[in-house]
Amino acid sequence: MVKKSVIHTEDAPKPIGPYSQAILVENPDKILFISGQIPIDPKTGEIVKGDITEQARQAIENLIAILEAAGATVDDVVKVNVYLDDIKDFEEFNKVYEEYFGHSKPARAVVQVGKLPKGVKVEIEAIAVFE
């Protein structure tokens, strides 16, 4: 039987809409579906101001907090979707991304979108598989 659980941590921002930070599915391995993370500081609830590198770093740190709350790590991530508000930020974003995912290199898509929630520069979602 498949077990489904909501994952929530105070170390990542609260959802800004009707969704969960992540859903964990167990059957028998665990599959974690992490909702898109934007650069909100979970301590203040405020958007991290700054360029793409600062915003990317905060969004990834939020994603990592959710991974850890579920008992997973960056090495367990198998797929990442990245949404940029300007594809010209791709190279600078990649530098930050590589600091976190350069050793594990999960499958990834990066696309430019028209607008992101709260006017941020980046949103990142991920899927992790672990025991």
Side-chain angles (χ1 to χ4, degrees):
M1 178 172 214
V2 174
K3 179 181 173 192
K4 183 174 94 168
S5 309
V6 172
I7 300 297
H8 176 77
T9 176
E10 294 298 321
D11 294 328
K14 294 177 182 169
I16 60 172
Y19 61 90
S20 302
Q21 288 176 329
I23 298 293
L24 178 63
V25 177
E26 298 180 61
N27 183 32
D29 285 337
K30 298 175 182 175
I31 304 171
L32 182 66
F33 298 88
I34 303 174
S35 294
Q37 296 301 301
I38 61 175
I40 294 177
D41 181 329
K43 293 178 179 68
T44 66
E46 299 294 320
I47 299 294
V48 171
K49 304 293 183 203
D51 64 13
I52 187 64
T53 60
E54 293 166 294
Q55 288 202 358
R57 192 172 310 285
Q58 184 63 59
I60 293 169
E61 289 292 336
N62 293 342
L63 190 114
I64 290 170
I66 295 168
L67 283 165
E68 291 174 351
T73 70
V74 169
D75 291 335
D76 298 316
V77 174
V78 296
K79 177 71 167 103
V80 177
N81 290 326
V82 179
Y83 308 97
L84 298 175
D85 78 337
D86 189 342
I87 202 68
K88 291 177 186 170
D89 289 333
F90 181 80
E91 189 175 324
E92 290 303 311
F93 168 79
N94 250 357
K95 290 176 186 174
V96 175
Y97 181 90
E98 188 171 20
E99 292 174 25
Y100 294 91
F101 293 99
H103 60 284
S104 60
K105 295 184 175 64
R108 184 184 84 175
V110 178
V111 297
Q112 177 177 312
V113 295
K115 289 188 177 187
L116 288 166
K118 303 217 177 252
V120 300
K121 298 177 184 303
V122 62
E123 181 172 355
I124 306 169
E125 64 182 20
I127 300 171
V129 178
F130 58 106
E131 294 181 3

